[in-house]
Amino acid sequence: MNYSIIRYILCRVLEFQALFLALPCLTALCYREKEGWAYVVVLIACLLFGGLGKMKKPKSTVFYAREGFVVVSLSWIVLSLTGALPLFLSGDFPSYTDALFETISGLTTTGASVLDSVEVLAKCNLFWRSFTHWIGGMGVLVLILAILPLAGGYNMHLMRAESPGPTVGKLVPRVRHTARILYAMYIFMTITQIILLLITGMTPFEAMTLSFGTAGTGGFGILNDSIGSYSIASQAVITIFMILFGINFNVYYLFWTKKPLQAIMCEELRYYLGIILGAIVLITINIYGGFTSILEAFHHAAFQVASIITTTGYSTIDFNQWSEFAKFVLVLLMFVGACAGSTGGGIKVSRIVIMLKLVKNELSHLIHPKRVRQIHFEKHVVTKDVLRSISVFFIAYAVIYGFSVLLISLNELDFTTNFTAVAATLNNIGPGLEQVGPTSNFSIYSQPAKYVLMFDMLAGRLELFPLLLLFTPATWKRR
Protein backbone atom coordinates (compact mmCIF):
# COMPACT_ATOMS: atom_id res chain seq x y z
CA MET A 1 0.00 0.00 0.00
CA ASN A 2 1.44 3.35 -1.09
CA TYR A 3 0.37 5.48 1.90
CA SER A 4 2.25 8.57 0.75
CA ILE A 5 0.32 8.94 -2.52
CA ILE A 6 -2.96 8.38 -0.66
CA ARG A 7 -2.07 11.17 1.78
CA TYR A 8 -1.09 13.46 -1.10
CA ILE A 9 -4.33 12.91 -3.03
CA LEU A 10 -6.46 13.39 0.10
CA CYS A 11 -4.73 16.71 0.70
CA ARG A 12 -5.56 17.68 -2.88
CA VAL A 13 -9.17 16.73 -2.17
CA LEU A 14 -9.18 19.08 0.84
CA GLU A 15 -7.94 21.91 -1.37
CA PHE A 16 -10.74 21.25 -3.85
CA GLN A 17 -13.21 21.16 -0.96
CA ALA A 18 -12.06 24.66 -0.05
CA LEU A 19 -12.74 25.71 -3.63
CA PHE A 20 -16.24 24.21 -3.49
CA LEU A 21 -16.98 25.95 -0.17
CA ALA A 22 -16.19 29.32 -1.70
CA LEU A 23 -19.50 29.25 -3.61
CA PRO A 24 -21.81 29.07 -0.56
CA CYS A 25 -19.60 31.80 0.96
CA LEU A 26 -20.46 34.01 -2.01
CA THR A 27 -24.13 33.03 -1.68
CA ALA A 28 -24.14 34.10 1.98
CA LEU A 29 -22.47 37.36 0.98
CA CYS A 30 -25.09 38.04 -1.72
CA TYR A 31 -27.99 37.40 0.67
CA ARG A 32 -26.18 38.96 3.66
CA GLU A 33 -26.54 35.84 5.80
CA LYS A 34 -24.58 35.45 9.02
CA GLU A 35 -24.44 31.66 8.49
CA GLY A 36 -21.72 32.27 5.91
CA TRP A 37 -19.05 32.49 8.62
CA ALA A 38 -19.25 28.70 9.08
CA TYR A 39 -18.24 28.15 5.45
CA VAL A 40 -15.36 30.62 5.75
CA VAL A 41 -13.98 28.82 8.82
CA VAL A 42 -14.17 25.36 7.23
CA LEU A 43 -12.74 26.72 3.96
CA ILE A 44 -9.68 28.09 5.77
CA ALA A 45 -9.24 24.84 7.71
CA CYS A 46 -9.36 22.77 4.50
CA LEU A 47 -6.78 25.03 2.84
CA LEU A 48 -4.53 24.89 5.90
CA PHE A 49 -4.61 21.11 6.39
CA GLY A 50 -4.51 20.42 2.66
CA GLY A 51 -1.56 22.73 2.10
CA LEU A 52 0.44 21.43 5.05
CA GLY A 53 -0.26 17.79 4.23
CA LYS A 54 0.96 17.99 0.64
CA MET A 55 4.16 19.86 1.46
CA LYS A 56 5.86 16.48 1.87
CA LYS A 57 5.96 14.97 -1.61
CA PRO A 58 5.00 11.28 -1.96
CA LYS A 59 7.90 8.84 -2.05
CA SER A 60 6.40 7.19 -5.11
CA THR A 61 3.64 8.36 -7.45
CA VAL A 62 2.91 4.80 -8.53
CA PHE A 63 -0.36 3.30 -7.35
CA TYR A 64 -2.47 0.38 -8.43
CA ALA A 65 -6.09 -0.73 -8.18
CA ARG A 66 -5.94 -1.26 -4.42
CA GLU A 67 -4.72 2.28 -3.76
CA GLY A 68 -7.23 3.61 -6.29
CA PHE A 69 -10.19 2.04 -4.51
CA VAL A 70 -8.94 3.11 -1.08
CA VAL A 71 -8.21 6.72 -2.02
CA VAL A 72 -11.60 7.13 -3.72
CA SER A 73 -13.46 5.78 -0.67
CA LEU A 74 -11.45 7.92 1.74
CA SER A 75 -11.90 10.98 -0.48
CA TRP A 76 -15.67 10.68 -0.29
CA ILE A 77 -15.52 10.19 3.46
CA VAL A 78 -13.25 13.24 3.88
CA LEU A 79 -15.54 15.35 1.68
CA SER A 80 -18.54 14.24 3.73
CA LEU A 81 -16.95 14.88 7.13
CA THR A 82 -15.73 18.35 6.18
CA GLY A 83 -18.82 19.24 4.12
CA ALA A 84 -21.08 18.56 7.10
CA LEU A 85 -19.22 20.99 9.37
CA PRO A 86 -20.65 24.27 8.00
CA LEU A 87 -24.19 22.86 8.05
CA PHE A 88 -23.78 21.96 11.72
CA LEU A 89 -21.89 25.11 12.72
CA SER A 90 -24.49 27.34 11.07
CA GLY A 91 -27.06 26.09 13.58
CA ASP A 92 -29.59 24.84 11.01
CA PHE A 93 -29.00 21.21 12.03
CA PRO A 94 -29.52 20.01 15.62
CA SER A 95 -26.67 17.47 15.55
CA TYR A 96 -23.54 16.69 13.57
CA THR A 97 -25.01 13.27 12.71
CA ASP A 98 -27.95 14.93 10.97
CA ALA A 99 -25.63 17.34 9.15
CA LEU A 100 -23.43 14.41 8.09
CA PHE A 101 -26.47 12.44 6.88
CA GLU A 102 -27.56 15.42 4.79
CA THR A 103 -24.07 15.93 3.34
CA ILE A 104 -23.52 12.28 2.46
CA SER A 105 -26.99 12.23 0.93
CA GLY A 106 -26.01 15.26 -1.14
CA LEU A 107 -22.59 14.06 -2.29
CA THR A 108 -23.84 10.57 -3.14
CA THR A 109 -26.71 12.23 -5.06
CA THR A 110 -29.26 10.39 -2.92
CA GLY A 111 -31.44 13.30 -1.85
CA ALA A 112 -32.77 11.69 1.33
CA SER A 113 -33.23 14.33 4.02
CA VAL A 114 -33.67 14.47 7.79
CA LEU A 115 -35.32 17.92 7.68
CA ASP A 116 -39.01 18.50 8.37
CA SER A 117 -38.80 21.79 6.47
CA VAL A 118 -36.13 22.98 4.03
CA GLU A 119 -37.67 26.41 3.57
CA VAL A 120 -36.35 27.58 6.95
CA LEU A 121 -32.72 27.02 5.89
CA ALA A 122 -30.41 29.88 5.03
CA LYS A 123 -29.87 30.37 1.30
CA CYS A 124 -26.18 29.46 1.61
CA ASN A 125 -27.13 26.13 3.19
CA LEU A 126 -29.73 25.46 0.50
CA PHE A 127 -27.13 26.24 -2.15
CA TRP A 128 -24.53 23.97 -0.53
CA ARG A 129 -26.98 21.05 -0.26
CA SER A 130 -27.80 21.28 -3.97
CA PHE A 131 -24.21 21.94 -5.04
CA THR A 132 -23.03 18.76 -3.30
CA HIS A 133 -25.26 16.91 -5.79
CA TRP A 134 -23.40 18.50 -8.68
CA ILE A 135 -20.01 17.68 -7.12
CA GLY A 136 -20.93 14.06 -6.50
CA GLY A 137 -22.73 13.51 -9.80
CA MET A 138 -19.66 13.19 -11.98
CA GLY A 139 -17.25 12.56 -9.09
CA VAL A 140 -14.67 14.77 -7.44
CA LEU A 141 -11.74 12.53 -8.42
CA VAL A 142 -12.80 12.80 -12.07
CA LEU A 143 -12.69 16.60 -11.67
CA ILE A 144 -9.23 16.43 -10.11
CA LEU A 145 -8.04 14.20 -12.96
CA ALA A 146 -9.41 16.73 -15.45
CA ILE A 147 -7.34 19.54 -13.92
CA LEU A 148 -4.28 17.95 -12.31
CA PRO A 149 -2.08 15.15 -13.67
CA LEU A 150 -1.71 12.91 -10.63
CA ALA A 151 0.16 9.78 -11.49
CA GLY A 152 0.63 9.27 -15.17
CA GLY A 153 -1.01 6.16 -16.59
CA TYR A 154 -1.93 4.86 -13.16
CA ASN A 155 -4.77 7.32 -12.62
CA MET A 156 -7.17 5.12 -14.59
CA HIS A 157 -7.53 3.20 -11.31
CA LEU A 158 -9.14 6.29 -9.76
CA MET A 159 -11.64 6.66 -12.58
CA ARG A 160 -12.55 2.97 -12.44
CA ALA A 161 -13.14 3.16 -8.69
CA GLU A 162 -15.35 6.26 -8.89
CA SER A 163 -17.28 5.76 -12.13
CA PRO A 164 -20.51 3.73 -12.07
CA GLY A 165 -21.02 0.64 -14.18
CA PRO A 166 -19.70 -2.88 -14.83
CA THR A 167 -16.77 -1.58 -16.89
CA VAL A 168 -15.14 1.80 -17.41
CA GLY A 169 -13.27 2.75 -20.54
CA LYS A 170 -11.47 5.78 -21.86
CA LEU A 171 -13.13 7.98 -24.48
CA VAL A 172 -9.70 9.06 -25.71
CA PRO A 173 -6.25 7.53 -25.13
CA ARG A 174 -5.36 9.79 -22.18
CA VAL A 175 -7.37 9.58 -18.96
CA ARG A 176 -6.94 13.29 -18.27
CA HIS A 177 -8.51 14.16 -21.63
CA THR A 178 -11.33 11.70 -20.96
CA ALA A 179 -12.06 13.43 -17.64
CA ARG A 180 -12.04 16.82 -19.34
CA ILE A 181 -14.48 15.67 -22.02
CA LEU A 182 -16.82 14.23 -19.40
CA TYR A 183 -16.84 17.45 -17.38
CA ALA A 184 -17.21 19.61 -20.48
CA MET A 185 -20.39 17.73 -21.42
CA TYR A 186 -21.57 17.80 -17.81
CA ILE A 187 -21.12 21.58 -17.51
CA PHE A 188 -22.69 22.25 -20.92
CA MET A 189 -25.83 20.25 -20.08
CA THR A 190 -26.11 21.90 -16.65
CA ILE A 191 -25.86 25.41 -18.10
CA THR A 192 -28.40 24.53 -20.81
CA GLN A 193 -30.89 23.40 -18.18
CA ILE A 194 -30.33 26.54 -16.10
CA ILE A 195 -31.11 28.71 -19.13
CA LEU A 196 -34.27 26.76 -19.98
CA LEU A 197 -35.52 26.93 -16.38
CA LEU A 198 -34.93 30.70 -16.37
CA ILE A 199 -37.06 30.92 -19.52
CA THR A 200 -39.88 29.03 -17.74
CA GLY A 201 -39.96 31.71 -15.04
CA MET A 202 -37.67 30.46 -12.28
CA THR A 203 -35.39 32.80 -10.37
CA PRO A 204 -31.62 32.39 -10.92
CA PHE A 205 -31.26 30.80 -7.46
CA GLU A 206 -34.05 28.31 -8.15
CA ALA A 207 -32.76 27.48 -11.63
CA MET A 208 -29.21 26.88 -10.39
CA THR A 209 -30.03 24.78 -7.34
CA LEU A 210 -32.60 22.60 -9.13
CA SER A 211 -30.29 22.15 -12.12
CA PHE A 212 -27.50 21.04 -9.77
CA GLY A 213 -29.90 18.46 -8.33
CA THR A 214 -31.00 17.29 -11.77
CA ALA A 215 -27.49 17.10 -13.21
CA GLY A 216 -26.24 15.02 -10.30
CA THR A 217 -29.55 13.09 -10.25
CA GLY A 218 -29.71 14.04 -6.58
CA GLY A 219 -33.08 15.52 -5.74
CA PHE A 220 -32.67 18.03 -2.90
CA GLY A 221 -35.43 20.56 -3.34
CA ILE A 222 -35.53 24.10 -1.98
CA LEU A 223 -39.28 23.96 -1.28
CA ASN A 224 -41.07 21.53 1.03
CA ASP A 225 -43.17 20.12 -1.82
CA SER A 226 -40.07 19.47 -3.95
CA ILE A 227 -41.08 20.47 -7.53
CA GLY A 228 -44.85 20.53 -6.99
CA SER A 229 -45.15 24.33 -6.79
CA TYR A 230 -43.44 25.03 -10.11
CA SER A 231 -45.09 25.44 -13.49
CA ILE A 232 -45.86 22.57 -15.84
CA ALA A 233 -43.19 23.93 -18.21
CA SER A 234 -40.52 23.86 -15.47
CA GLN A 235 -41.52 20.34 -14.48
CA ALA A 236 -41.35 19.22 -18.13
CA VAL A 237 -37.83 20.64 -18.52
CA ILE A 238 -36.69 18.83 -15.37
CA THR A 239 -38.32 15.59 -16.58
CA ILE A 240 -36.41 15.71 -19.86
CA PHE A 241 -33.07 16.54 -18.24
CA MET A 242 -33.44 13.84 -15.58
CA ILE A 243 -33.74 11.32 -18.41
CA LEU A 244 -30.82 12.90 -20.27
CA PHE A 245 -28.50 12.80 -17.26
CA GLY A 246 -29.40 9.13 -16.76
CA ILE A 247 -27.89 8.23 -20.16
CA ASN A 248 -24.34 6.94 -20.49
CA PHE A 249 -22.10 9.92 -21.31
CA ASN A 250 -20.36 7.80 -23.96
CA VAL A 251 -23.54 8.27 -26.03
CA TYR A 252 -23.09 12.05 -25.95
CA TYR A 253 -19.44 11.62 -26.89
CA LEU A 254 -20.50 9.65 -29.98
CA PHE A 255 -22.87 12.49 -30.94
CA TRP A 256 -20.07 14.99 -30.35
CA THR A 257 -17.74 13.03 -32.67
CA LYS A 258 -20.48 12.97 -35.33
CA LYS A 259 -21.43 9.34 -34.93
CA PRO A 260 -25.19 9.71 -34.25
CA LEU A 261 -26.14 6.35 -35.78
CA GLN A 262 -23.68 4.53 -33.54
CA ALA A 263 -25.03 6.45 -30.53
CA ILE A 264 -28.67 5.62 -31.31
CA MET A 265 -27.80 1.94 -31.77
CA CYS A 266 -26.39 1.63 -28.22
CA GLU A 267 -28.12 -1.39 -26.71
CA GLU A 268 -28.24 -0.05 -23.16
CA LEU A 269 -29.80 3.22 -24.37
CA ARG A 270 -32.59 1.36 -26.16
CA TYR A 271 -33.39 -0.75 -23.10
CA TYR A 272 -33.25 2.32 -20.84
CA LEU A 273 -35.67 4.34 -22.96
CA GLY A 274 -37.87 1.28 -23.48
CA ILE A 275 -38.17 0.69 -19.73
CA ILE A 276 -39.03 4.36 -19.17
CA LEU A 277 -41.69 4.39 -21.88
CA GLY A 278 -43.21 1.11 -20.71
CA ALA A 279 -43.35 2.25 -17.08
CA ILE A 280 -44.93 5.60 -18.02
CA VAL A 281 -47.66 3.89 -20.08
CA LEU A 282 -48.45 1.35 -17.36
CA ILE A 283 -48.65 3.94 -14.58
CA THR A 284 -50.62 6.43 -16.69
CA ILE A 285 -53.26 3.81 -17.52
CA ASN A 286 -53.40 2.80 -13.86
CA ILE A 287 -53.76 6.27 -12.29
CA TYR A 288 -55.53 8.41 -14.90
CA GLY A 289 -58.88 8.04 -13.10
CA GLY A 290 -57.58 10.22 -10.28
CA PHE A 291 -56.75 13.17 -12.55
CA THR A 292 -58.80 15.62 -14.61
CA SER A 293 -57.30 14.34 -17.88
CA ILE A 294 -55.10 11.58 -19.18
CA LEU A 295 -52.51 14.22 -20.18
CA GLU A 296 -52.20 15.33 -16.55
CA ALA A 297 -51.81 11.72 -15.46
CA PHE A 298 -49.18 11.20 -18.18
CA HIS A 299 -47.30 14.29 -17.04
CA HIS A 300 -47.04 13.18 -13.41
CA ALA A 301 -46.33 9.57 -14.36
CA ALA A 302 -43.52 10.66 -16.69
CA PHE A 303 -41.99 12.90 -14.04
CA GLN A 304 -42.04 10.25 -11.32
CA VAL A 305 -40.75 7.49 -13.60
CA ALA A 306 -37.90 9.71 -14.79
CA SER A 307 -37.15 10.77 -11.22
CA ILE A 308 -37.08 7.22 -9.81
CA ILE A 309 -35.26 5.33 -12.57
CA THR A 310 -32.55 8.00 -12.74
CA THR A 311 -32.47 7.98 -8.91
CA THR A 312 -33.02 11.75 -8.80
CA GLY A 313 -35.81 11.77 -6.23
CA TYR A 314 -37.72 14.94 -7.14
CA SER A 315 -41.50 14.72 -6.96
CA THR A 316 -44.44 16.72 -8.28
CA ILE A 317 -47.01 14.76 -6.30
CA ASP A 318 -47.24 12.41 -3.32
CA PHE A 319 -46.93 9.12 -5.23
CA ASN A 320 -47.23 7.34 -1.88
CA GLN A 321 -50.99 7.84 -2.38
CA TRP A 322 -51.04 6.05 -5.74
CA SER A 323 -52.32 2.50 -6.24
CA GLU A 324 -50.28 -0.49 -5.10
CA PHE A 325 -49.61 -1.40 -8.74
CA ALA A 326 -48.15 2.03 -9.57
CA LYS A 327 -46.04 2.04 -6.41
CA PHE A 328 -44.73 -1.45 -7.19
CA VAL A 329 -43.64 -0.33 -10.67
CA LEU A 330 -41.76 2.58 -9.07
CA VAL A 331 -40.10 0.24 -6.55
CA LEU A 332 -38.90 -1.96 -9.43
CA LEU A 333 -37.44 1.13 -11.12
CA MET A 334 -35.58 1.94 -7.88
CA PHE A 335 -33.54 -1.21 -8.34
CA VAL A 336 -33.06 -0.94 -12.10
CA GLY A 337 -31.50 2.52 -11.97
CA ALA A 338 -30.01 4.50 -14.82
CA CYS A 339 -27.35 3.65 -17.40
CA ALA A 340 -23.74 2.82 -16.58
CA GLY A 341 -21.47 5.83 -17.10
CA SER A 342 -24.24 8.29 -16.14
CA THR A 343 -24.73 10.32 -12.98
CA GLY A 344 -27.57 8.01 -11.89
CA GLY A 345 -27.50 5.27 -9.29
CA GLY A 346 -29.17 1.89 -8.89
CA ILE A 347 -27.99 -1.49 -10.13
CA LYS A 348 -27.74 -0.10 -13.69
CA VAL A 349 -29.59 -1.14 -16.83
CA SER A 350 -26.52 -2.81 -18.35
CA ARG A 351 -26.10 -5.17 -15.37
CA ILE A 352 -29.79 -6.09 -15.43
CA VAL A 353 -29.71 -6.84 -19.17
CA ILE A 354 -26.52 -8.90 -18.98
CA MET A 355 -27.84 -10.94 -16.05
CA LEU A 356 -31.10 -11.64 -17.91
CA LYS A 357 -29.08 -12.76 -20.91
CA LEU A 358 -27.06 -14.99 -18.61
CA VAL A 359 -30.28 -16.61 -17.34
CA LYS A 360 -31.47 -17.12 -20.91
CA ASN A 361 -28.11 -18.60 -21.85
CA GLU A 362 -28.26 -21.01 -18.90
CA LEU A 363 -31.76 -22.18 -19.87
CA SER A 364 -30.54 -22.78 -23.43
CA HIS A 365 -27.58 -24.73 -22.04
CA LEU A 366 -29.92 -27.01 -20.08
CA ILE A 367 -31.79 -27.83 -23.29
CA HIS A 368 -28.68 -28.12 -25.48
CA PRO A 369 -25.77 -29.02 -23.15
CA LYS A 370 -23.19 -29.36 -25.93
CA ARG A 371 -23.95 -26.04 -27.60
CA VAL A 372 -21.57 -23.22 -26.68
CA ARG A 373 -23.25 -19.80 -26.74
CA GLN A 374 -21.56 -16.54 -25.85
CA ILE A 375 -23.31 -13.56 -24.32
CA HIS A 376 -23.13 -10.35 -26.36
CA PHE A 377 -23.77 -6.81 -25.19
CA GLU A 378 -23.25 -3.67 -27.28
CA LYS A 379 -22.04 -5.95 -30.12
CA HIS A 380 -19.18 -7.26 -27.98
CA VAL A 381 -18.69 -10.59 -26.26
CA VAL A 382 -19.16 -10.27 -22.50
CA THR A 383 -16.00 -11.74 -20.97
CA LYS A 384 -15.97 -14.16 -18.06
CA ASP A 385 -14.33 -11.49 -15.90
CA VAL A 386 -17.23 -9.11 -16.47
CA LEU A 387 -19.78 -11.85 -15.81
CA ARG A 388 -17.96 -12.78 -12.62
CA SER A 389 -17.80 -9.18 -11.40
CA ILE A 390 -21.52 -8.66 -12.11
CA SER A 391 -22.45 -11.90 -10.32
CA VAL A 392 -20.34 -10.95 -7.31
CA PHE A 393 -21.88 -7.46 -7.35
CA PHE A 394 -25.40 -8.93 -7.12
CA ILE A 395 -24.36 -11.21 -4.24
CA ALA A 396 -22.71 -8.35 -2.32
CA TYR A 397 -25.67 -6.09 -3.08
CA ALA A 398 -28.16 -8.65 -1.72
CA VAL A 399 -26.11 -9.25 1.45
CA ILE A 400 -25.71 -5.52 2.21
CA TYR A 401 -29.38 -4.90 1.44
CA GLY A 402 -30.66 -7.68 3.69
CA PHE A 403 -28.29 -6.86 6.54
CA SER A 404 -29.20 -3.15 6.36
CA VAL A 405 -32.94 -3.85 6.53
CA LEU A 406 -32.29 -6.15 9.49
CA LEU A 407 -30.33 -3.51 11.40
CA ILE A 408 -32.71 -0.59 10.87
CA SER A 409 -35.66 -2.86 11.75
CA LEU A 410 -34.55 -2.44 15.37
CA ASN A 411 -36.33 0.93 15.16
CA GLU A 412 -39.63 -1.00 15.10
CA LEU A 413 -40.97 0.76 12.00
CA ASP A 414 -43.15 -1.06 9.45
CA PHE A 415 -41.56 -3.33 6.84
CA THR A 416 -42.46 -1.20 3.81
CA THR A 417 -40.80 1.84 5.39
CA ASN A 418 -37.62 -0.08 6.23
CA PHE A 419 -37.46 -1.95 2.92
CA THR A 420 -37.88 1.16 0.79
CA ALA A 421 -35.61 3.24 3.06
CA VAL A 422 -32.72 0.91 2.24
CA ALA A 423 -33.78 0.82 -1.43
CA ALA A 424 -33.81 4.62 -1.47
CA THR A 425 -30.36 4.95 0.12
CA LEU A 426 -28.47 2.00 -1.38
CA ASN A 427 -29.73 2.94 -4.85
CA ASN A 428 -29.17 6.68 -4.18
CA ILE A 429 -32.78 7.63 -4.89
CA GLY A 430 -34.02 9.70 -1.92
CA PRO A 431 -37.68 9.10 -1.15
CA GLY A 432 -39.13 5.69 -0.34
CA LEU A 433 -42.66 4.76 0.64
CA GLU A 434 -44.87 5.06 3.73
CA GLN A 435 -43.01 6.95 6.52
CA VAL A 436 -40.07 7.84 4.23
CA GLY A 437 -42.26 8.81 1.28
CA PRO A 438 -41.92 11.97 -0.86
CA THR A 439 -43.69 14.14 1.73
CA SER A 440 -41.79 12.65 4.69
CA ASN A 441 -38.13 12.38 5.72
CA PHE A 442 -35.62 10.13 7.49
CA SER A 443 -35.63 11.93 10.86
CA ILE A 444 -37.74 9.10 12.29
CA TYR A 445 -34.68 6.84 12.45
CA SER A 446 -32.32 6.66 15.43
CA GLN A 447 -28.70 7.76 15.11
CA PRO A 448 -27.33 4.19 14.75
CA ALA A 449 -29.88 3.52 11.97
CA LYS A 450 -28.86 6.75 10.23
CA TYR A 451 -25.23 5.57 10.18
CA VAL A 452 -26.35 2.31 8.56
CA LEU A 453 -28.20 4.31 5.90
CA MET A 454 -25.18 6.61 5.45
CA PHE A 455 -23.02 3.54 4.79
CA ASP A 456 -25.60 2.38 2.24
CA MET A 457 -25.53 5.74 0.44
CA LEU A 458 -21.74 5.69 0.15
CA ALA A 459 -21.68 2.01 -0.84
CA GLY A 460 -24.33 2.59 -3.49
CA ARG A 461 -22.55 5.58 -5.03
CA LEU A 462 -19.16 3.83 -5.07
CA GLU A 463 -20.58 0.56 -6.45
CA LEU A 464 -20.01 -1.35 -3.18
CA PHE A 465 -16.46 -2.68 -3.54
CA PRO A 466 -14.32 0.45 -2.95
CA LEU A 467 -16.03 0.96 0.40
CA LEU A 468 -15.99 -2.73 1.34
CA LEU A 469 -12.24 -2.87 0.74
CA LEU A 470 -11.73 -0.44 3.63
CA PHE A 471 -12.92 -3.20 5.97
CA THR A 472 -10.64 -5.86 4.48
CA PRO A 473 -7.39 -6.27 6.52
CA ALA A 474 -5.37 -7.38 3.48
CA THR A 475 -6.06 -4.00 1.86
CA TRP A 476 -3.82 -2.20 4.34
CA LYS A 477 -0.74 -4.45 4.09
CA ARG A 478 2.37 -2.90 2.61
CA ARG A 479 3.62 -4.36 -0.65
Side-chain angles (χ1 to χ4, degrees):
M1 177 67 68
N2 187 348
Y3 289 101
S4 60
I5 190 65
I6 291 175
R7 170 187 51 79
Y8 180 79
I9 295 174
L10 290 178
C11 290
R12 285 290 198 182
V13 168
L14 281 174
E15 290 182 326
F16 270 81
Q17 180 76 312
L19 179 65
F20 299 147
L21 290 168
L23 291 179
C25 287
L26 291 175
T27 305
L29 186 63
C30 290
Y31 288 95
R32 298 180 180 179
E33 295 175 328
K34 63 180 183 350
E35 290 85 356
W37 72 267
Y39 290 92
V40 174
V41 170
V42 180
L43 184 156
I44 294 172
C46 288
L47 279 178
L48 182 62
F49 285 103
L52 290 175
K54 75 181 182 96
M55 287 178 65
K56 185 180 179 181
K57 298 295 181 181
K59 298 176 182 178
S60 171
T61 59
V62 175
F63 63 92
Y64 299 98
R66 182 169 62 167
E67 286 87 354
F69 284 119
V70 168
V71 79
V72 165
S73 297
L74 292 179
S75 295
W76 282 74
I77 292 172
V78 167
L79 285 170
S80 300
L81 293 173
T82 55
L85 285 172
L87 292 179
F88 174 61
L89 294 174
S90 67
D92 277 347
F93 287 79
S95 69
Y96 180 73
T97 296
D98 284 350
L100 183 60
F101 185 99
E102 204 81 3
T103 305
I104 291 177
S105 181
L107 286 169
T108 59
T109 70
T110 303
S113 180
V114 292
L115 297 171
D116 294 321
S117 173
V118 298
E119 295 177 20
V120 299
L121 295 181
K123 285 287 197 296
C124 58
N125 286 337
L126 284 173
F127 183 92
W128 178 238
R129 289 170 75 247
S130 296
F131 189 56
T132 54
H133 283 330
W134 195 86
I135 296 169
M138 189 61 69
V140 66
L141 270 300
V142 175
L143 177 59
I144 293 176
L145 288 176
I147 299 174
L148 303 172
L150 289 177
Y154 299 101
N155 51 23
M156 188 61 190
H157 297 304
L158 293 179
M159 185 170 283
R160 283 200 180 99
E162 193 173 45
S163 300
T167 59
V168 177
K170 292 183 286 187
L171 302 179
V172 292
R174 296 185 63 182
V175 174
R176 189 180 182 188
H177 289 171
T178 296
R180 286 180 174 178
I181 290 170
L182 288 172
Y183 255 96
M185 293 187 290
Y186 191 48
I187 293 170
F188 173 77
M189 291 173 65
T190 305
I191 292 174
T192 302
Q193 185 186 354
I194 291 173
I195 293 171
L196 290 175
L197 289 179
L198 288 172
I199 293 172
T200 63
M202 284 193 183
T203 66
F205 183 81
E206 291 171 331
M208 288 181 67
T209 51
L210 295 178
S211 294
F212 289 154
T214 307
T217 60
F220 274 151
I222 58 174
L223 297 178
N224 292 333
D225 66 351
S226 189
I227 311 297
S229 297
Y230 295 102
S231 66
I232 297 294
S234 297
Q235 293 173 0
V237 169
I238 293 173
T239 302
I240 293 169
F241 274 89
M242 284 191 294
I243 295 173
L244 291 178
F245 279 107
I247 294 173
N248 192 322
F249 273 66
N250 286 348
V251 172
Y252 299 127
Y253 179 73
L254 290 173
F255 275 109
W256 183 58
T257 54
K258 299 179 180 180
K259 298 176 183 177
L261 184 61
Q262 191 175 342
I264 294 171
M265 293 304 293
C266 285
E267 188 174 357
E268 185 182 31
L269 175 64
R270 299 201 307 273
Y271 278 109
Y272 170 71
L273 295 178
I275 292 170
I276 290 174
L277 181 61
I280 292 172
V281 171
L282 288 174
I283 292 178
T284 300
I285 294 172
N286 185 255
I287 67 171
Y288 83 94
F291 294 91
T292 55
S293 69
I294 195 167
L295 287 178
E296 184 184 5
F298 177 85
H299 168 76
H300 289 293
F303 189 97
Q304 299 315 143
V305 166
S307 179
I308 296 300
I309 194 171
T310 61
T311 71
T312 305
Y314 285 141
S315 62
T316 56
I317 198 170
D318 184 7
F319 56 80
N320 196 41
Q321 303 301 317
W322 284 357
S323 69
E324 294 301 315
F325 176 83
K327 288 191 289 186
F328 183 71
V329 173
L330 292 179
V331 169
L332 288 179
L333 296 180
M334 288 182 183
F335 291 96
V336 174
C339 297
S342 70
T343 61
I347 292 174
K348 303 294 183 300
V349 172
S350 56
R351 284 197 183 97
I352 299 289
V353 172
I354 291 172
M355 286 302 291
L356 290 176
K357 288 186 175 184
L358 182 60
V359 172
K360 181 182 176 182
N361 192 52
E362 185 62 23
L363 291 174
S364 177
H365 178 72
L366 291 173
I367 298 171
H368 305 287
K370 295 183 179 180
R371 181 184 296 178
V372 178
R373 296 186 63 180
Q374 294 178 316
I375 297 173
H376 291 79
F377 187 73
E378 301 288 8
K379 298 181 180 179
H380 296 289
V381 175
V382 180
T383 65
K384 290 183 178 179
D385 287 341
V386 172
L387 289 175
R388 177 187 54 79
S389 68
I390 292 175
S391 300
V392 173
F393 176 89
F394 272 93
I395 294 170
Y397 181 93
V399 170
I400 293 173
Y401 195 102
F403 198 57
S404 297
V405 173
L406 178 66
L407 289 176
I408 68 170
S409 294
L410 294 172
N411 281 236
E412 296 297 331
L413 297 173
D414 65 277
F415 177 76
T416 301
T417 297
N418 291 330
F419 186 86
T420 57
V422 175
T425 50
L426 189 56
N427 295 314
N428 304 132
I429 295 164
L433 296 176
E434 299 301 336
Q435 297 184 63
V436 290
T439 59
S440 306
N441 58 75
F442 286 72
S443 62
I444 56 175
Y445 283 104
S446 63
Q447 287 204 4
K450 287 175 183 174
Y451 279 100
V452 172
L453 297 174
M454 282 187 255
F455 174 87
D456 288 343
M457 288 188 279
L458 285 168
R461 175 57 183 85
L462 298 177
E463 305 274 288
L464 308 184
F465 298 112
L467 196 63
L468 292 178
L469 279 176
L470 295 182
F471 302 93
T472 306
T475 301
W476 303 100
K477 292 181 181 179
R478 293 186 180 274
R479 296 186 183 277

